[in-house]
């Protein structure tokens, strides 16, 4: 079966699934393989659950004409998504970056949805499987698409761009993350810059944080002609300023060479999110959304999934920011806590993963930065942090150890920062805060 023929089937049965637990009727099941599973084994179960077709790559599982045998199921899923994308003549905004991808994506969706029927990546489906599934969720009624793209190795963004073909794009920032895969900070810039390479090649539109020296340098290297700049200096097309962050952000912005500022209260915490807000404003303004509706979209967005999320418990105000962590995002979280006005502050940091040979150095640096804030209590959790000791802080090897300590000596009436890599399971600490 050719991709064109498979796409014809998809147009009739346009729901796509890769998980037998979430089969919908009138759908196509793609039997993907992983390190610990082979979904070819479950193709029959998918059909029994309501799928119309099952795409497999092992002949022994083919029972009847409802099975579509291909050479490689994942490659077929990706190629189908690539072919489907080429049938959609709408703007596609691609987003990548070290930090803030998902928040920026959600903000863009909130703003663009004020005027256009918009589809954005669900959750964090931003990899070599998630991006194809996202594209195959977009039907002919959609007027605008926002695609998040993640990577931890070279050439992954280039590969995702080849599938998603963004017409517009932005990199939120570049920082020290996934250094095991990228090799170095220069490796991070090179990998994220693959989005710029694609936009340059396709004569696409770049939205650029014009005050970020790394992003500005990356853009200058490529000479992208269609660039919309946002930031804090007057040279940007969209100029913003943070009014306050105590702890929720209030941001003002204006168009370059226009005196009038527009002010919007947000439901976001973290001064670092000001840039993400300005990115959404720049995209919305570029696509003709008026100032009032831009602000309406920003105001309406409420963060979830423990990304810069304010949680008020019976005893404390918690900045829940433990969906993930790397060097730059942890630095930003600490800098934000430093400027928040609160009578009592507590810092709880957990290990950062995938830092490779820089792990020891960067964890030591975070200990120093956190202690410099002078919080009422400073707590470090995890094996990497536990390698350092200080009489000014508390150190626990595991999250369970920290939870037990916090149960015995509770935190009350404080603003608490929780920041750690996802694998540290900091949601356990919420139970004792």
């Amino acid at each position: 079966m050719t991709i064109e023929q498979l796409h014809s089937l998809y147009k009739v049965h346009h729901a796509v699934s890769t998980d037998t637990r979430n089969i919908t009727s009138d759908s196509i099941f793609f039997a993907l393989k992983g390190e610990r599973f082979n979904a070819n084994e479950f193709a029959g179960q998918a059909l029994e659950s309501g799928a119309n077709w099952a795409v497999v790559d092992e002949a022994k599982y083919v029972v009847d004409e409802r099975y579509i045998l291909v050479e490689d199921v994942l490659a077929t899923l990706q190629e189908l998504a690539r072919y489907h994308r080429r049938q959609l003549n709408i703007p596609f905004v691609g987003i990548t970056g070290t930090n803030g991808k998902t928040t920026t994506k959600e903000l863009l969706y909130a703003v663009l949805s004020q005027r256009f029927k918009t589809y954005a990546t669900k959750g964090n489906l931003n990899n070599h499987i998630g991006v194809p599934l996202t594209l195959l969720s977009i039907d002919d009624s959609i007027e605008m698409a926002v695609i998040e793209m993640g990577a931890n190795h070279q050439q992954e963004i280039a590969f995702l761009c080849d599938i998603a073909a963004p017409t517009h794009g932005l990199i939120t920032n570049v920082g020290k993350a996934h250094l095991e895969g990228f090799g170095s900070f220069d490796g991070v810039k090179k990998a994220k810059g693959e989005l710029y390479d694609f936009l340059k090649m396709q004569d696409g539109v770049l939205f650029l944080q014009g005050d970020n020296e790394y992003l500005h340098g990356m853009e200058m290297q490529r000479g992208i002609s269609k660039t919309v700049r946002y930031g804090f200096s007057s040279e940007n097309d969209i100029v913003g300023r943070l009014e306050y962050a105590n702890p929720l952000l209030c941001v003002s912005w204006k168009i370059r060479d226009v005196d009038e500022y527009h002010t919007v209260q947000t439901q976001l915490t973290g001064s670092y999110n000001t840039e993400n807000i300005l990115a959404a404003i720049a995209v919305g303004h570029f696509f003709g959304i008026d100032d009032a509706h831009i602000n309406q979209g920003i105001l309406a967005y409420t963060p979830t999934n423990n990304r810069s999320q304010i949680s008020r418990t019976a005893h404390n105000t918690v900045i829940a920011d433990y969906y993930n962590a790397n060097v730059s995002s942890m630095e930003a979280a600490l800098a934000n806590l430093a400027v928040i006005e609160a009578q009592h502050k507590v810092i709880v940091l957990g290990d950062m993963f995938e830092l490779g040979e820089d792990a020891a150095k960067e964890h030591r640096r975070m200990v120093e930065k956190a202690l410099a804030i002078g919080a009422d209590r400073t707590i470090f959790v995890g094996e990497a942090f536990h390698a350092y000791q200080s009489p000014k802080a508390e150190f626990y090897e595991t999250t369970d150890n920290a939870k037990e300590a916090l149960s015995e000596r509770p935190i009350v009436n404080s603003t608490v920062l929780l920041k750690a890599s996802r694998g540290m399971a900091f949601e356990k600490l919420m139970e004792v805060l």
Side-chain angles (χ1 to χ4, degrees):
M1 181 177 288
T2 65
I3 286 296
E4 291 82 359
Q5 291 170 323
L6 182 57
H7 189 258
S8 295
L9 281 182
Y10 158 79
K11 293 292 284 185
V12 177
H13 313 282
H14 61 265
V16 169
S17 176
T18 60
D19 189 337
T20 54
R21 296 168 297 182
N22 301 312
I23 297 294
T24 60
S25 60
D26 208 26
S27 64
I28 303 175
F29 175 72
F30 283 79
L32 298 177
K33 294 177 181 175
E35 291 181 6
R36 301 177 184 174
F37 66 90
N38 179 1
N40 281 271
E41 300 173 5
F42 307 110
Q45 180 182 332
L47 292 167
E48 290 174 7
S49 299
N52 296 78
W53 302 89
V55 181
V56 298
D57 50 18
E58 295 184 30
K60 66 181 179 180
Y61 293 103
V62 176
V63 176
D64 55 40
E65 69 281 352
R66 296 177 299 168
Y67 292 78
I68 301 170
L69 182 62
V70 300
E71 198 168 308
D72 183 304
V73 171
L74 176 57
T76 300
L77 176 69
Q78 293 165 339
E79 189 58 29
L80 177 63
R82 187 181 188 280
Y83 182 86
H84 178 60
R85 162 66 186 97
R86 271 61 184 179
Q87 317 309 309
L88 299 168
N89 188 27
I90 61 173
F92 271 70
V93 183
I95 298 177
T96 191
T98 301
N99 305 306
K101 293 184 295 295
T102 300
T103 299
T104 304
K105 176 254 301 182
E106 296 291 346
L107 285 165
L108 260 65
Y109 175 79
V111 169
L112 293 172
S113 294
Q114 296 294 313
R115 176 173 174 183
F116 304 101
K117 185 172 183 183
T118 305
Y119 191 91
T121 300
K122 303 297 185 187
N124 64 338
L125 291 173
N126 62 11
N127 65 4
H128 63 297
I129 297 173
V131 168
L133 290 175
T134 296
L135 296 176
L136 292 169
S137 299
I138 300 173
D139 60 34
D140 293 338
S141 70
I142 298 299
E143 299 173 304
M144 192 81 66
V146 183
I147 308 297
E148 180 181 336
M149 297 182 288
N152 53 22
H153 289 85
Q154 304 293 339
Q155 293 302 307
E156 286 184 285
I157 296 298
F159 180 74
L160 296 177
C161 283
D162 182 64
I163 296 174
T167 55
H168 304 69
L170 67 92
I171 300 176
T172 54
N173 49 54
V174 287
K176 294 181 179 179
H178 302 298
L179 296 183
E180 286 180 342
F182 292 132
S184 65
F185 180 49
D186 284 338
V188 174
K189 291 190 289 183
K190 180 180 178 182
K192 300 301 183 182
E194 290 164 12
L195 173 58
Y196 286 5
D197 294 333
F198 187 88
L199 293 173
K200 169 70 173 177
M201 181 173 59
Q202 300 296 324
D203 197 27
V205 177
L206 169 65
F207 299 97
L208 176 72
Q209 209 292 45
D211 300 323
N212 185 306
E213 61 177 314
Y214 300 121
L215 297 179
H216 180 69
M218 291 160 61
E219 183 264 341
M220 290 294 289
Q221 287 176 352
R222 293 161 175 86
I224 299 173
S225 60
K226 299 177 182 176
T227 302
V228 178
R229 289 173 167 79
Y230 61 91
F232 304 99
S233 60
S234 59
E235 294 79 17
N236 291 294
D237 300 297
I238 297 296
V239 181
R241 67 189 183 204
L242 174 62
E243 298 293 345
Y244 56 79
N246 289 317
L248 298 180
L249 307 183
C250 179
V251 174
S252 292
W253 62 277
K254 74 181 189 73
I255 302 162
R256 186 178 62 182
D257 298 331
V258 174
D259 293 333
E260 181 186 6
Y261 273 90
H262 310 278
T263 302
V264 57
Q265 175 64 55
T266 81
Q267 305 305 310
L268 280 161
T269 188
S271 54
Y272 47 85
N273 273 313
T274 307
E275 296 179 16
N276 302 330
I277 293 165
L278 294 179
I281 291 168
V283 174
H285 184 264
F286 177 85
F287 284 110
I289 299 176
D290 65 72
D291 306 336
H293 282 95
I294 288 174
N295 279 4
Q296 189 172 314
I298 299 294
L299 174 62
Y301 171 63
T302 302
T304 57
N305 296 326
N306 305 309
R307 300 174 188 270
S308 303
Q309 185 176 344
I310 292 289
S311 297
R312 289 187 169 84
T313 69
H315 305 290
N316 300 289
T317 297
V318 181
I319 302 173
D321 196 9
Y322 50 83
Y323 181 85
N324 213 341
N326 53 52
V327 175
S328 52
S329 69
M330 192 167 280
E331 282 183 318
L334 289 170
N336 179 64
L337 184 70
V339 301
I340 286 177
E341 295 178 7
Q343 188 172 2
H344 301 288
K345 298 180 184 180
V346 174
I347 299 169
V348 187
L349 303 183
D351 280 357
M352 302 173 286
F353 298 160
E354 296 184 59
L355 292 182
E357 62 183 21
D358 287 349
K361 176 183 70 176
E362 295 298 350
H363 280 87
R364 177 187 289 277
R365 204 162 62 83
M366 287 307 118
V367 169
E368 294 169 354
K369 280 187 170 291
L371 290 176
I373 291 175
D376 293 44
R377 290 173 70 179
T378 306
I379 300 167
F380 300 98
V381 185
E383 293 181 4
F385 274 128
H386 198 260
Y388 309 100
Q389 297 293 320
S390 167
K392 299 179 182 178
E394 303 167 46
F395 293 82
Y396 304 101
E397 280 195 89
T398 69
T399 301
D400 287 334
N401 294 153
K403 180 180 178 181
E404 183 178 348
L406 292 178
S407 297
E408 295 174 357
R409 187 186 166 204
I411 297 170
V412 295
N413 301 323
S414 298
T415 296
V416 184
L417 169 65
L418 291 185
K419 183 69 178 174
S421 284
R422 179 69 193 89
M424 293 300 295
F426 260 27
E427 62 271 13
K428 295 178 181 179
L429 299 182
M430 290 295 294
E431 300 170 14
V432 292
L433 292 173

